[in-house]
Amino acid sequence: FTTMSLYRYVSSKDELLLLMQDAAFALPKRAVLPRGWRAALVAWAELVREAYRAHPWALGIPRGQTSVLMPNSVRAADLGMSALGDLEIDQESKVGVILVVSQLAASMVELEGSLATEGMVSTTPEGTGLLAEVITPERFPHIARLFTASSWAGAEQPLPEKPVIDGGTLEVDGEFGLGLSLLIEGLEARQRAAAGSGA
């Protein structure tokens, strides 16, 4: 196709981008979720995250009210709602859960992309010591403890070669899992509260 010949099939660039975005975020057609809303929600979240990971470029296309009505988006939302089938909260809250989990997956994939572009970040013990001179308990009482390992600065013993602060993996699997677990705990608490009130 030439550039202009595409417009025999779509009316505008925005429509083309919308179709591309929807195609990129297609979940596996034979996806089967496990039983129980907790396991099912985690499995659905992983499916959404993998779709974003497979086509991270599509995250650069704005998502709005129209995009959520596209075929693959509707199918993904339907699968997400099925994951919450036995969770005893109202439908509006379930829609909110789907939106929050989807946004968590998207933002974590975006963060992974940014980290990959930046590359590994680490500091030597000397560098960490210099940071500790600026990031002090007086100025930053809650974060400063992360830099206390920098007491190497000025020490008589030889400095270890291994970085004190190491960027580690460029993936954020642990943080993604933490976000899901906190959400699940909150949903459990809401369900218990609803049961206790007789609602």
Side-chain angles (χ1 to χ4, degrees):
F1 291 95
T2 64
T3 301
M4 292 309 298
S5 66
L6 286 172
Y7 292 102
R8 298 175 185 171
Y9 305 94
V10 294
S11 61
S12 66
K13 180 180 177 180
D14 288 341
E15 183 178 334
L16 176 61
L17 291 174
L18 194 63
L19 290 167
M20 291 170 61
Q21 183 184 59
D22 190 60
F25 292 151
L27 300 188
K29 291 185 177 180
R30 297 185 179 181
V32 177
L33 300 177
R35 291 181 177 273
W37 70 265
R38 297 165 187 82
L41 182 60
V42 171
W44 181 79
E46 290 290 354
L47 287 173
V48 172
R49 183 169 66 145
E50 288 308 311
Y52 288 146
R53 276 178 165 175
H55 305 284
W57 55 266
L59 288 169
I61 303 173
R63 286 162 284 167
Q65 297 180 65
T66 304
S67 63
V68 300
L69 298 176
M70 297 297 288
N72 285 324
S73 294
V74 171
R75 181 176 173 277
D78 186 69
L79 189 62
M81 291 294 282
S82 75
L84 301 173
D86 59 352
L87 175 61
E88 296 177 2
I89 60 174
D90 60 83
Q91 288 292 98
E92 185 177 350
S93 295
K94 289 182 179 181
V95 172
V97 171
I98 295 306
L99 177 61
V100 169
V101 171
S102 178
Q103 189 58 41
L104 174 64
S107 63
M108 285 298 179
V109 171
E110 287 177 329
L111 178 58
E112 283 180 344
S114 297
L115 291 174
T117 300
E118 183 181 27
M120 292 288 190
V121 175
S122 62
T123 66
T124 64
E126 286 179 307
T128 306
L130 292 172
L131 285 172
E133 292 178 13
V134 179
I135 304 175
T136 63
E138 293 75 25
R139 296 179 67 191
F140 306 101
H142 302 289
I143 200 74
R145 69 185 62 181
L146 297 177
F147 299 88
T148 56
S150 63
S151 56
W152 298 102
E156 295 180 359
Q157 59 208 72
L159 298 175
E161 294 182 1
K162 184 177 180 180
V164 172
I165 299 176
D166 194 332
T169 178
L170 296 179
E171 296 180 350
V172 288
D173 291 343
E175 290 78 3
F176 182 65
L178 175 63
L180 288 176
S181 67
L182 292 173
L183 180 63
I184 287 171
E185 289 171 13
L187 290 171
E188 289 172 337
R190 175 169 287 200
Q191 187 172 237
R192 286 193 301 269
S197 67

